[in-house]
Amino acid sequence: MAERKTAPAPARRYGDRAAALLLLLTLSACASQIDAGVAGDAGTPGFLWGMWHGFIFPWSFIGSLFSPDIAVYAVPNTGGWYDFGFFLGITVLGGGSFFGSKKSRA
């Protein structure tokens, strides 16, 4: 009688991660920004302001808890470029990728 082989554990985890990623991408496809939040006027925050706002996010967030006049995200903004700058500001300039890295203590 032949034994039935099961997939090794790492292959199953890979499939679970792929399914979770597919679900996340499917849900993110439903996201949209309202037209009132995007403007092309002169002086509207763009890429560089997005980077700055991402960099100061931790302090802005704490300030927004105590004052309704402080916001962590500028609306209206230029849309995708502001969002990309905000993302870079949080992850690269804000130390998001630096503090999450593992250091060897040899």
Side-chain angles (χ1 to χ4, degrees):
M1 184 180 236
E3 290 183 32
R4 184 175 178 187
K5 293 184 179 181
T6 59
R12 275 190 261 154
R13 276 189 260 141
Y14 178 74
D16 292 343
R17 289 179 184 168
L21 181 62
L22 181 63
L23 177 64
L24 182 65
L25 289 174
T26 303
L27 290 175
S28 67
C30 300
S32 64
Q33 188 171 13
I34 59 171
D35 292 335
V38 178
D41 302 334
T44 303
F47 176 75
L48 293 177
W49 276 112
M51 284 184 66
W52 174 247
H53 292 160
F55 179 67
I56 64 169
F57 170 77
W59 298 278
S60 304
F61 177 70
I62 292 169
S64 72
L65 297 175
F66 300 104
S67 173
D69 297 331
I70 298 174
V72 296
Y73 189 81
V75 176
N77 57 52
T78 56
W81 282 112
Y82 178 84
D83 294 341
F84 183 59
F86 192 83
F87 171 75
L88 286 179
I90 287 178
T91 58
V92 177
L93 297 176
S97 59
F98 174 74
F99 293 119
S101 66
K102 296 180 181 178
K103 295 181 182 179
S104 65
R105 300 189 187 256

